[in-house]
Amino acid sequence: MNEYNDEKNLDLTNEEIIEEQEVRAEETESLEAESTASESIEAAEAETEGFNPEPQPVYNGFEQPEKTTVILTDERKTGNSFLKRAAAVAAGVVVLAASVSTGCGIGSYLYKNGGVVAASGSDISLGTSSGEELPIIYTANYNSVSEVFKAVEASVVNISITVSTTNIWNQTYEATGSGSGIIYKVDGDDVYIVTNNHVVDGASSVAISITGEEQIFATLVGKDAENDLAVIKVSKQALNDAGITEVKAVEFVSTDSVEIGETVLAIGNALGTGKSVTMGIISAKDKSISIDGKNLVVLQTDAAINPGNSGGALVNLDGQVIGINTAKTGSSTVEGTGYAIPSYTAVTIIDQLIEKGTVEKPYLGVVCFTITDNFRQMYNIDITGVFVQEVNSGSAAEKAGIRATDIITAVDGTAVTSQADLQSIIASHSVGDSITISFVRNGRESMEVTAVLENYNEF
């Protein structure tokens, strides 16, 4: 007789004890079977996930979704008290009572960089039950997300564009689109607005609106396709004529101090229906993504970034811009994976675009790939270098006489063993520099030409 029966069933007959033990044995076997089945299902799902292709980032310019579905979550059924607690956690907001030791009043406190901070901007001292004082890591300027949005809203603009395009019958027509922009600088009568290059690229006309009522036509100042940035401008007088009497540039701050887990807001013209705000955290810093053949180093956030948000602001709880929203992972199986160009990258480029109208990037104009061992064996060649797959029309390479199927082996006497080598050498030069390119043609003829590097952003 087991211990359970000794203590709990002293008055049971032997038959009853045996019957109960048999019932418990059956229940144990049933639980073990369910556990084994669950583990098998989890293992199968994990194995299946290994075959899923990695989703790729896509720009969030002016493309509109075919259908928008609004789904009410189950949490709404659990009562207001749960929703309030969930909202507080999502916002990084917690109400403190006994731990506040100064007379700043009861209110909301914000989590940032792993610490608790005063939302009111007042200096406070937080303590524990043992009397130990906790450090204040950060003091926010606003009491709520609503206040941050109100402070930044007028500095984020809606962008509307018109693009000339053709249909399958080769008929030309005008298409419209939308995006977002950020007022970066006001200089005299000029109001400079930064956005994404893919928002305004190819547009026949661009207009901006601050309130959603007016439409002010803008002119292109300059663009940098490689970093997906562009600057447009409008006149302050045109804004005044439209009833906009106050124009405010938003503050851009370095993202060096941005912490993973920090609360951020994405503000922009989502879905082209006017300004809105979403909230999340910084999920990753210095994230490398490849999009449309370009490599970008970005901030990753789970704040919702939707079509029309491109060019809008990613701001911290002080209402300062730390990034420019540009893309999200384009897969129905992925949620909360958006990307923003860091402000430390953007500001340098924006200033160059305002000053010069362009960002000078040396450009040879070839599409190529590294010669591998497999390539050598396949074509029976013994050459180290990069294979030129395509030469871009009007480029420095075409003008110098480089052709597709040539194999570049050196630049200015420095051996080129990979595509990365060639890119690094080109990037070390300036626009207008002359370089000597050594290459092999037809697999056997060694040749040498001089090319004058041109500006990538003029193509």
Side-chain angles (χ1 to χ4, degrees), residues 225-279:
E226 185 174 352
N227 288 290
D228 194 30
L229 291 170
V231 176
I232 58 178
K233 72 175 181 179
V234 297
S235 72
K236 188 189 293 185
Q237 184 61 52
L239 290 170
N240 289 340
D241 293 343
I244 307 299
T245 57
E246 183 177 351
V247 184
K248 178 184 176 183
V250 71
E251 182 183 3
F252 281 65
V253 295
S254 173
T255 45
D256 290 340
S257 60
V258 171
E259 297 286 346
I260 294 175
E262 179 176 337
T263 302
V264 292
L265 309 177
I267 302 174
N269 183 22
L271 306 180
T273 58
K275 277 176 272 189
S276 63
V277 59
T278 56
M279 182 173 64

Side-chain angles (χ1 to χ4, degrees), residues 364 408-416 421-422 425-426 429 434-438 453:
L364 180 60
I408 297 176
T409 57
V411 175
D412 290 334
T414 300
V416 172
D421 286 346
L422 181 61
I425 292 172
I426 299 301
H429 284 78
S434 295
I435 60 173
T436 301
I437 302 173
S438 303
L453 297 176

